[in-house]
Amino acid sequence: VQLQASGGGLVQAGGSLRLSCAGSGRALSDYLMGWFRQAPGKEREFVAAIREDGNTLTYRNSVKGRFTISRDNAKNKVFLQMNSLKPEDTAIYYCGANYGCSGQGCDEDDDDYDWWGQGTQVTVSS
């Protein structure tokens, strides 16, 4: 499966962005989908994940209440709505596809993901 992330940009603190991840080659409905991010000099970290049917969502604590992950399986897309952005949200954001995620914490472990998009830069100015 090929993933294409888009929607990043430069925004002031308190602003909003909506990231999109478009899939091709296979149906994204077969995959748990996640968003991760990597800031300069830091390791990639989990941001949010959504199960195949869209009924279970998970978030890292620092984005709860501000970010919302969603998916449209008919359009083969996944989204990340980011509100109340903070400078510490600045990073390259990656979408990933995880097939057969069933173990504890498999949605938050990037080693469990099978496919990745190319990343989209999000920069939040103070």
Side-chain angles (χ1 to χ4, degrees), residues 10 20 71 76 79 92 98 100 105:
L10 173 63
S20 297
R71 66 191 302 159
N76 227 29
F79 306 98
I92 300 174
N98 183 330

Side-chain angles (χ1 to χ4, degrees), residues 43-95:
E43 294 187 352
R44 185 161 57 185
E45 64 182 19
F46 169 76
V47 176
I50 184 168
R51 294 275 355 179
E52 293 84 339
D53 58 7
N55 288 334
T56 302
L57 316 177
T58 53
Y59 298 93
R60 73 178 298 106
N61 286 337
S62 63
V63 308
K64 285 181 180 177
R66 300 189 297 122
F67 291 11
T68 302
I69 188 171
S70 62
R71 66 191 302 159
D72 185 338
N73 285 339
K75 294 183 178 179
N76 227 29
K77 289 186 175 181
V78 179
F79 306 98
L80 185 68
Q81 178 66 45
M82 305 186 296
N83 298 328
S84 301
L85 282 161
K86 304 176 180 180
E88 52 263 43
D89 295 318
T90 295
I92 300 174
Y93 282 70
Y94 298 91
C95 60

Side-chain angles (χ1 to χ4, degrees), residues 32-36 45-52 56-60 69 96-98 100-113 116:
L32 176 145
M33 297 298 296
W35 286 96
F36 287 71
E45 64 182 19
F46 169 76
V47 176
I50 184 168
R51 294 275 355 179
E52 293 84 339
T56 302
L57 316 177
T58 53
Y59 298 93
R60 73 178 298 106
I69 188 171
N98 183 330
C101 173
S102 60
Q104 180 73 25
C106 64
D107 55 344
E108 300 183 17
D109 186 348
D110 58 356
D111 286 339
D112 283 325
Y113 282 71
W116 293 98

